[in-house]
Amino acid sequence: MTKSLGDAAAELGGGHARHLAVRYLHDDVAPWLDGTWSEAVGRELFAATSQLVHLAEWMAQDEGNQDAAQQYYAHSFRLASEAGDAELAATALRGLAVQAIDLGFRPTAVRIAEECVDQAKTLDSPRALSYYQATLANAAALDGDRRTATAALSASQTAIERATDAPGESWASHYSIGRWAHESGMILARLGDYTSAQEHLHHALDIHGLDRRRTRAIVLADLGTVRLRQDDIDGALASWNDFLDCADGIRSIKVQDAVNDMRARLFRLRDVPGAEELDERAEGLG
């Protein structure tokens, strides 16, 4: 059920089907948690529930409900700890760190990201380790700590390049080289290296595909911004046109924020051919 609901959210945004995830959690899963089971079954049940709660928290955050997301992250961490699953616990902490990054709480983001990496130090999962190190790099870059950001990004790259195994069931195990390329590109942009940032974003789009509409839309929006910062106005407008093609019908605060960000930048380009038409297209998504 978590996979089915997660697939829908990855395609159409967290605003789709969150009510179904929450209802399933309360109406079906909660009674199972109150039941009687062996220790082994209990650990599996708590681990599976932690993943479902993590999905609910991601959905809440993606539709802009930060308070609900924070509560779900805490529940997910407690369930993962009860299950004795270090990867799920670290992933819940990673969610809290990303929330702090999005809200601009720089020292808090770094502290939680460091705790996330520490929580995962005994894991032997290159995908998961890359996932957490990239989060630390992102938080450190936001905090202006170039040395920590660069070191964590390097560790993240080393780990993802070792990830030859097929994705497992956990949230972190689905961290792909394409997702890494997108996240790394935006970290590099935050550090001011726009040339490398654009290379990474192209890597994510052209080489690894990123077939989920929501993810692809966000990468295209980011690519437009990076191109604009390199004074490639035509390239920026082209990326943003592709972004709007992907974004239609997606219910995600990140996509909506990207639309608003794009329109603010388009205002300064209003005399450029094509900019006004693009803004009119974006207005329908506002």
Side-chain angles (χ1 to χ4, degrees), residues 151-179:
L153 188 57
S154 177
S156 179
Q157 180 174 356
T158 298
I160 199 66
E161 288 175 348
R162 293 194 295 113
T164 57
D165 55 322
E169 292 299 320
S170 81
W171 194 276
S173 68
H174 284 83
Y175 192 61
S176 66
I177 186 68
R179 291 178 64 192

Side-chain angles (χ1 to χ4, degrees), residues 53-248:
V53 173
H54 189 92
L55 175 61
E57 71 210 15
W58 181 88
M59 288 173 155
Q61 187 172 353
D62 198 49
E63 68 176 355
N65 192 337
Q66 298 290 355
D67 290 339
Q70 190 172 61
Q71 293 175 22
Y72 280 126
Y73 281 131
H75 285 309
S76 180
F77 179 76
R78 286 194 291 268
L79 286 162
S81 298
E82 187 72 22
D85 193 312
E87 183 174 319
L88 292 178
T91 300
L93 289 174
R94 188 256 175 198
L96 282 170
V98 170
Q99 185 180 42
I101 290 170
D102 289 345
L103 295 174
F105 299 149
R106 295 179 296 174
T108 300
V110 173
R111 179 180 61 80
I112 298 176
E114 288 175 335
E115 188 175 346
C116 168
V117 170
D118 184 68
Q119 179 82 31
K121 62 186 177 184
T122 61
L123 297 179
D124 185 23
S125 170
R127 292 177 188 270
L129 295 175
S130 177
Y131 196 40
Y132 309 139
Q133 288 284 1
T135 304
L136 176 56
N138 200 356
L142 175 67
D143 198 38
D145 185 349
R146 176 177 289 271
R147 184 172 65 175
T148 298
T150 302
L153 188 57
S154 177
S156 179
Q157 180 174 356
T158 298
I160 199 66
E161 288 175 348
R162 293 194 295 113
T164 57
D165 55 322
E169 292 299 320
S170 81
W171 194 276
S173 68
H174 284 83
Y175 192 61
S176 66
I177 186 68
R179 291 178 64 192
W180 175 85
H182 174 214
E183 188 168 14
S184 297
M186 297 317 295
I187 293 167
L188 289 165
R190 185 165 274 163
L191 293 173
D193 186 353
Y194 297 118
T195 299
S196 295
Q198 185 169 174
E199 290 174 357
H200 278 70
L201 295 181
H202 278 301
H203 197 65
L205 288 167
D206 300 335
I207 297 178
H208 296 286
L210 293 177
D211 57 347
R212 300 293 194 184
R213 270 212 303 139
R214 174 190 171 278
T215 303
R216 192 170 184 84
I218 293 170
V219 178
L220 286 165
D222 289 339
L223 179 59
T225 301
V226 169
R227 282 175 162 175
L228 182 64
R229 288 175 178 171
Q230 293 180 295
D231 295 323
D232 180 7
I233 296 175
D234 289 341
L237 296 180
S239 293
W240 285 335
N241 264 303
D242 291 340
F243 159 60
L244 292 180
D245 289 340
C246 278
D248 189 26

